[in-house]
Amino acid sequence: AVETPAAAVETPAAAVETPAAEATPVAAEEGAVEGAVVEDSSALEALTDEAQTLVVKLKQALATESDLLAQLADKLATLSGEDVPAPVDTAVDAEGSSSLDAATPENRELYAATWNMAAINNNPFEYWVTYEGAEGEAYMELMDKVSTILSREPADDEVVTAVFTEDMFEELIQAMTAMGMAEDDTMDEVRDYWADDLSKRTIVNGFLKDPTLGAKRLVSMPDRVTNTIRLADGTVATRPTVINCYAGDLPDRESWWAAWKMFMFGERLNVPNNDEPLPPAKMLVPVSRVKYPEVTPHEEAISVPLTAVTVAIFD
């Protein structure tokens, strides 16, 4: 009907005499619909076949993984001297059926091993270890007390100046100025930052747990470069702090502060790829907004002396 429209024009009488011809376009339309249905059905069947193929491949991959886990379980059993039950058989047959299809939560077991390959720092308060005997009991008591302090409610928290005092801050500013770490106007900006921000924070909730300090790397960046410094002779120098392997005694705040200032400003360390010995304070680096966009332009500009202050507060 679509291909010969001229016939309808040339013989109008035929169109009148045979009204059934009027139904022809409808019939053609119905045929088109049927064709579309057939095409959709074919596409659906193709998708179903692809899905079934993927299911078979997935079951085969699970079978391979189960076999590897079984081998691992055997090796662990050999190492421990214990009998480890064999895992569920996951063989896949020709139709892609697996014993996993019939397995239930009660008879499916997964054996896995996990371990910490390495740690990026040596902070003892980031890890809990098994420690036997009387010393182990003392260790657990220490860790529990640290957890208690870090769980302190805001109402029970204290301000930073209760630990890092105004006098200590001023001594730090003077030491940085004497070393030429920044111009006087920059030091004045650090003083303002201290007076308006840092000194008003609380120790735990306002400083140690503040996520913005972490996002800005105002503590972790200076800690990264001064925590444990690799020396040219193969040994290390550690900043006086409780979060590394510092070997000296730190019985009170006054002893710590004297040791901290001596390390940061008084020590001269021979580090690899550097011709002259450096004090650790000179190893501090700017915090870049390009890498850490949370840092403000002002913080970036004063970041070297500012991070000396923040890591001193942290310690």
Side-chain angles (χ1 to χ4, degrees):
V2 176
E3 292 175 357
T4 58
V9 175
E10 293 172 1
T11 56
V16 175
E17 293 173 0
T18 55
E22 295 179 358
T24 303
V26 176
E29 185 177 309
E30 290 176 351
V33 172
E34 290 176 1
V37 170
V38 171
E39 290 180 2
D40 288 346
S41 177
S42 298
L44 181 59
E45 289 178 3
L47 285 174
T48 302
D49 291 340
E50 290 178 10
Q52 290 175 343
T53 300
L54 289 174
V55 169
V56 172
K57 289 182 178 179
L58 177 60
K59 289 181 177 180
Q60 290 171 340
L62 289 172
T64 301
E65 181 178 342
S66 180
D67 181 58
L68 291 174
L69 289 172
Q71 295 178 42
L72 176 60
D74 290 340
K75 294 183 184 302
L76 291 175
T78 301
L79 289 172
S80 64
E82 299 177 356
D83 293 330
V84 179
V88 175
D89 176 25
T90 56
V92 179
D93 59 23
E95 285 76 30
S97 297
S98 166
S99 57
L100 285 174
D101 296 329
T104 64
E106 288 73 26
N107 64 17
R108 291 178 64 173
E109 295 184 66
L110 174 66
Y111 295 90
T114 182
W115 58 92
N116 186 13
M117 295 297 294
I120 62 170
N121 58 46
N122 47 14
N123 182 357
F125 301 109
E126 288 194 15
Y127 313 95
W128 287 75
V129 298
T130 301
Y131 198 175
E132 304 294 346
E135 289 187 343
E137 294 178 2
Y139 167 77
M140 290 300 295
E141 182 181 4
L142 170 66
M143 297 301 284
D144 284 337
K145 287 182 177 179
V146 171
S147 290
T148 299
I149 290 175
L150 295 179
S151 301
R152 181 180 293 171
E153 294 294 331
D156 300 324
D157 215 344
E158 296 185 68
V159 293
V160 162
T161 51
V163 171
F164 192 77
T165 66
E166 292 282 355
D167 288 342
M168 295 166 70
F169 169 76
E170 194 57 40
E171 289 177 23
L172 179 55
I173 289 291
Q174 295 300 328
M176 291 191 291
T177 301
M179 187 162 282
M181 290 178 61
E183 300 295 333
D184 290 343
D185 56 347
T186 300
M187 289 303 180
D188 289 339
E189 293 183 55
V190 174
R191 281 192 174 93
D192 291 340
Y193 198 103
W194 160 261
D196 299 336
D197 187 323
L198 297 174
S199 66
K200 299 181 183 302
R201 292 172 178 253
T202 54
I203 294 171
V204 174
N205 296 281
F207 192 90
L208 294 178
K209 288 185 174 181
D210 179 22
T212 60
L213 288 177
K216 295 178 178 182
R217 300 299 192 272
L218 294 182
V219 175
S220 61
M221 184 63 74
D223 177 65
R224 181 184 305 174
V225 297
T226 63
N227 183 297
T228 303
I229 302 171
R230 306 288 176 182
L231 303 180
D233 62 3
T235 61
V236 298
T238 52
R239 192 177 76 248
T241 177
V242 297
I243 64 162
N244 62 20
C245 297
Y246 179 73
D249 290 331
L250 302 173
D252 50 50
R253 180 175 56 187
E254 290 70 28
S255 300
W256 163 76
W257 184 228
W260 197 93
K261 288 186 295 182
M262 176 57 67
F263 174 81
M264 292 292 288
F265 301 100
E267 297 277 356
R268 296 296 184 272
L269 305 178
N270 289 302
V271 295
N273 304 318
N274 203 76
D275 296 334
E276 297 182 1
L278 287 176
K282 281 287 190 180
M283 300 179 189
L284 297 178
V285 296
V287 181
S288 170
R289 291 189 69 233
V290 174
K291 190 170 185 181
Y292 306 109
E294 294 84 356
V295 176
T296 67
H298 178 234
E299 290 168 336
E300 181 183 38
I302 65 173
S303 58
V304 172
L306 177 61
T307 55
V309 175
T310 51
V311 78
I313 297 171
F314 178 82
D315 288 341

